[in-house]
Amino acid sequence: MYISYNENKLLSEKQRLNNNKKFINDYLKKLKYYFDNVYKSIDPNILLDDEQRIAILNDEDALMIIAGAGSGKTTTITAKVKYLVDILKVNPKEILIISYTNKAVNELKERINQDFDIPVDITTFHKFALSILNKFNNYKIVDESKIKNTINDYILTQLNNLKVLRLISTVNKESFLKNYFKLMVGLSINIDNLTNISYKVISSIKINKSDYYEIYDLVKEKKQKNNCFLDFIDKVYKYVINHLTYNNLIDFEDMINIACRKIKSLDSFRYKYIIVDEYQDISQNRFELLKCIYDQFNIKLVVVGDDWQSIFKFSGSRIDLFTEFSNIFPRSNILKISNTYRNSQQLINIAGNFIMKNSKQISKNLKSNKSLSEPVIILMYHKDKVLKLKQQLNEFRENDKILLLGRYTFDCDFLNKSVDFVINGENITYRRRPNMSIVFLTVHSAKGLGYDQVIVLNNENGVYGFPSKRKNDKFINLFIDDKDNYYEERRLFYVALTRTKNRVYLLVNKHKKSCFIKELLNDGYDVKKR
């Protein structure tokens, strides 16, 4: 038995662990034995620190836990669920955990459902939304390719109405279509590209506004010169919606938007706690779904994330929904977990100073017991990029787990030119050290992961360098503002720097150094150049 006092009476007090240090300290002492032993049967090496324990105890209506890179975010979520069930006696079936990817969901299921044998529901946003929709109707789900086919059908239908098109030779048809699209849509473009751009615009509309006409009118008012394209989008959007509705079909964003509307007609809701993992990736429509549930059913909302690692704007994430949390939820509390266990203090200082050059990032004082001089090594090469990489790989231990990081998926293509490397999906074999574990991932794919050593392959100044200077299509930018993409590139570079358990190595062409590399070299950081 962990406790010998009236827990319910203690928890009914008005302080509820908020802004009362004496109350918090007394409570921590009474639950010390419980927290000291939470992970004993799973991993006796895991010991929750005081910040984690306070975050677990806090029972505010809306709670944000800001967890820095490598600070034990999943450990904290898992222990909070166990505390809710063990101490507050919450029914596991009244707790819902939502994350973004199946990979993250499976990790949480392993830790909570399997290791602790607690049968809480753990799912993605889309599967949760679908479970709501299934109470009302059996929808058929269509993927991206089916939506693009529908858009393509609309375009072809319009073209078939042009009798002149049938009289034009195949050789001249492509040129004719480009001129036709230039006249009718405002783009000199082929059908495939017009379809792709139309799909991205329609998806952006659905992610950012459930009411299409609100955003359409707003953009049309501000961008009169793009009226022809907007009129085209208006027509193709209606065509897609009518096609989906008539055939009882929905796409992935419809799942979220329709579920939000359906929630309002529910009389009851089974969950009392919703815990959201990776909240820094929240999009407008996902937020509206959570807020609707929070307002209507008076649930407890717990969100966990790190604004320094918000890197999915291209798929609709909005960092302001994270940084403005306390303004959005008046009955809220924000707590930070500052102790990190992956990076050295020296690397934390470099990465922290780097990311805080972004405006509106939340300040943190991350701490680590690990110490390592020169945690960032800049590998300069003149011509032979492969040779420089091999030299560094030869210095690593045979049993090190190595991560090669790219800004883009093609950043490792240069290895194909060398007989010393074999690429098999994400796995890379270095023939001179065949037993060494080497993986290539993009920075987006590597978020949340940690490796013994990390080498960032592309740090050049260029359109496809790091930071990337690639811009969204101007018509997509009518619906997604592109002006702060540089801030996102800085956050992405922060994620790259913090994947390592030891040092991070930045492979750089000495004649094409990116602005980030120049910044690291010029700012007096503990950075070594080779």
Side-chain angles (χ1 to χ4, degrees):
M1 191 71 179
Y2 292 118
I3 51 178
S4 58
Y5 54 87
N6 190 331
E7 191 70 34
N8 291 329
K9 181 178 179 180
L10 180 62
L11 291 171
S12 68
E13 297 186 30
K14 294 295 184 183
Q15 296 99 325
R16 288 187 305 170
L17 309 171
N18 300 324
N19 305 317
N20 188 321
K21 291 183 179 179
K22 183 179 185 304
F23 183 73
I24 292 172
N25 290 334
D26 289 345
Y27 199 36
L28 285 174
K29 289 177 183 177
K30 290 177 180 178
L31 284 176
K32 183 178 186 305
Y33 182 79
Y34 174 80
F35 283 126
D36 285 349
N37 290 275
V38 163
Y39 278 95
K40 186 175 182 180
S41 62
I42 307 300
D43 186 348
N45 294 318
I46 297 178
L47 185 64
L48 299 168
D49 62 40
D50 284 348
E51 289 179 330
Q52 289 175 310
R53 297 181 188 208
I54 291 171
I56 291 165
L57 293 174
N58 193 286
D59 201 42
E60 185 56 275
D61 290 346
L63 171 64
M64 171 180 280
I65 302 172
I66 302 177
S71 63
K73 171 176 64 70
T74 303
T75 297
T76 306
I77 291 174
T78 303
K80 188 170 185 71
V81 171
K82 186 168 175 57
Y83 166 81
L84 291 175
V85 174
D86 287 348
I87 305 301
L88 298 194
K89 306 303 179 185
V90 178
N91 185 333
K93 291 302 180 182
E94 295 176 338
I95 301 173
L96 172 67
I97 302 176
I98 305 177
S99 195
Y100 281 81
T101 65
N102 288 323
K103 182 179 180 181
V105 165
N106 290 335
E107 181 184 358
L108 288 164
K109 284 182 176 180
E110 182 178 348
R111 297 282 291 274
I112 299 173
N113 295 157
Q114 297 176 28
D115 290 349
F116 281 124
D117 194 26
I118 301 176
V120 299
D121 289 337
I122 307 172
T123 187
T124 63
F125 269 101
H126 286 110
K127 289 181 180 177
F128 169 57
L130 187 59
S131 70
I132 295 171
L133 296 182
N134 286 338
K135 299 178 185 295
F136 299 90
N137 200 347
N138 291 319
Y139 292 95
K140 299 175 184 177
I141 313 301
V142 293
D143 59 16
E144 176 180 325
S145 63
K146 296 291 180 61
I147 300 296
K148 286 183 176 179
N149 287 341
T150 304
I151 295 171
N152 197 254
D153 288 344
Y154 173 80
I155 296 172
L156 291 176
T157 299
Q158 302 309 304
L159 292 176
N160 286 335
N161 292 333
L162 296 174
K163 295 180 180 180
V164 67
L165 190 62
R166 300 167 192 167
L167 305 177
I168 299 174
S169 68
T170 303
V171 175
N172 296 323
K173 190 172 292 185
E174 183 72 17
S175 175
F176 172 82
L177 289 177
K178 285 187 176 182
N179 290 329
Y180 173 73
F181 290 143
K182 180 70 174 178
L183 177 65
M184 299 304 295
V185 186
L187 292 171
S188 180
I189 195 172
N190 63 34
I191 293 178
D192 288 341
N193 286 338
L194 180 58
T195 298
N196 289 333
I197 289 177
S198 300
Y199 172 78
K200 290 178 181 178
V201 169
I202 290 172
S203 295
S204 298
I205 292 168
K206 289 186 176 185
I207 290 170
N208 288 283
K209 289 285 184 182
S210 56
D211 184 350
Y212 164 69
Y213 295 101
E214 179 182 344
I215 192 168
Y216 174 81
D217 291 341
L218 177 64
V219 174
K220 191 169 184 178
E221 177 184 338
K222 292 184 176 182
K223 302 285 184 178
Q224 291 293 327
K225 63 181 180 180
N226 294 310
N227 278 357
C228 56
F229 177 75
L230 290 168
D231 288 339
F232 169 77
I233 287 295
D234 184 33
K235 293 171 184 174
V236 74
Y237 179 89
K238 291 174 182 175
Y239 182 86
V240 170
I241 295 301
N242 289 337
H243 172 78
L244 294 177
T245 303
Y246 180 78
N247 293 284
N248 200 35
L249 303 173
I250 58 172
D251 65 13
F252 290 105
E253 299 312 325
D254 287 332
M255 285 187 200
I256 306 292
N257 294 336
I258 298 174
C260 187
R261 296 196 290 270
K262 295 294 187 183
I263 280 287
K264 297 175 183 178
S265 63
L266 292 178
D267 295 326
S268 61
F269 189 72
R270 77 185 259 195
Y271 301 109
K272 293 182 179 178
Y273 284 83
I274 294 182
I275 301 173
V276 182
D277 184 26
E278 303 287 6
Y279 184 73
Q280 75 278 346
D281 298 330
I282 195 74
S283 61
Q284 180 67 35
N285 60 346
R286 288 164 178 77
F287 166 78
E288 289 178 359
L289 176 61
L290 291 174
K291 188 68 163 58
C292 182
I293 296 170
Y294 175 85
D295 290 339
Q296 185 165 337
F297 298 105
N298 197 30
I299 63 160
K300 302 277 190 178
L301 177 65
V302 181
V303 303
V304 187
D306 180 13
D307 62 297
W308 290 6
Q309 299 183 75
S310 177
I311 59 173
F312 287 98
K313 183 181 177 183
F314 68 89
S315 60
S317 70
R318 282 184 47 182
I319 191 172
D320 60 309
L321 295 174
F322 188 102
T323 56
E324 298 297 319
F325 185 82
S326 59
N327 294 326
I328 297 169
F329 296 96
R331 302 190 312 276
S332 63
N333 203 357
I334 297 178
L335 299 174
K336 299 177 183 178
I337 300 175
S338 303
N339 293 315
T340 65
Y341 304 94
R342 180 190 303 142
N343 308 134
S344 66
Q345 186 63 54
Q346 289 83 356
L347 180 57
I348 288 170
N349 293 341
I350 292 172
N353 288 333
F354 177 84
I355 192 65
M356 282 308 295
K357 291 187 178 182
N358 269 359
S359 61
K360 297 184 179 179
Q361 301 287 170
I362 297 173
S363 178
K364 306 176 186 69
N365 182 27
L366 302 182
K367 296 168 288 186
S368 172
N369 289 327
K370 295 176 66 173
S371 181
L372 185 66
S373 62
E374 299 173 341
V376 179
I377 307 292
I378 297 180
L379 303 174
M380 293 285 192
Y381 68 91
H382 175 56
K383 290 183 179 180
D384 200 334
K385 189 174 184 178
V386 174
L387 176 61
K388 195 68 176 182
L389 177 62
K390 291 192 297 185
Q391 289 173 345
Q392 187 55 57
L393 290 175
N394 290 337
E395 293 186 11
F396 293 146
R397 297 174 299 178
E398 189 77 25
N399 62 343
D400 276 348
K401 292 184 178 180
I402 313 300
L403 174 63
L404 304 184
L405 271 181
R407 174 61 182 84
Y408 293 99
T409 56
F410 49 75
D411 282 344
C412 72
D413 287 355
F414 73 99
L415 296 178
N416 289 318
K417 300 176 182 179
S418 172
V419 296
D420 289 323
F421 292 94
V422 177
I423 302 177
N424 182 17
E426 295 178 349
N427 298 307
I428 296 177
T429 300
Y430 178 35
R431 293 185 189 275
R432 297 187 183 184
R433 305 187 75 181
N435 295 324
M436 180 179 283
S437 172
I438 305 175
V439 172
F440 171 81
L441 295 171
T442 64
V443 184
H444 285 100
S445 299
K447 189 166 79 70
L449 304 178
Y451 286 77
D452 295 322
Q453 310 287 353
V454 172
I455 302 177
V456 184
L457 300 179
N458 176 12
N459 296 279
E460 295 186 1
N461 177 38
V463 175
Y464 292 96
F466 202 173
S468 170
K469 296 181 180 180
R470 183 172 178 266
K471 298 294 183 181
N472 285 333
D473 182 275
K474 65 178 181 179
F475 293 103
I476 295 174
N477 281 342
L478 295 177
F479 298 88
I480 294 182
D481 192 350
D482 198 30
K483 68 178 183 297
D484 67 345
N485 267 6
Y486 186 80
Y487 297 152
E488 180 124 335
E489 289 295 309
R490 185 175 288 273
R491 291 192 292 268
L492 196 62
F493 196 71
Y494 171 82
V495 171
L497 291 175
T498 55
R499 295 312 92 200
T500 184
K501 298 177 183 177
N502 294 288
R503 290 186 170 90
V504 57
Y505 300 81
L506 308 174
L507 196 58
V508 181
N509 184 324
K510 65 188 300 183
H511 303 295
K512 299 179 182 179
K513 296 188 289 288
S514 75
C515 59
F516 287 168
I517 297 300
K518 291 178 180 178
E519 185 178 315
L520 291 174
L521 289 171
N522 294 334
D523 281 3
Y525 295 136
D526 187 14
V527 173
K528 184 175 181 179
K529 182 171 66 174
R530 288 183 186 172

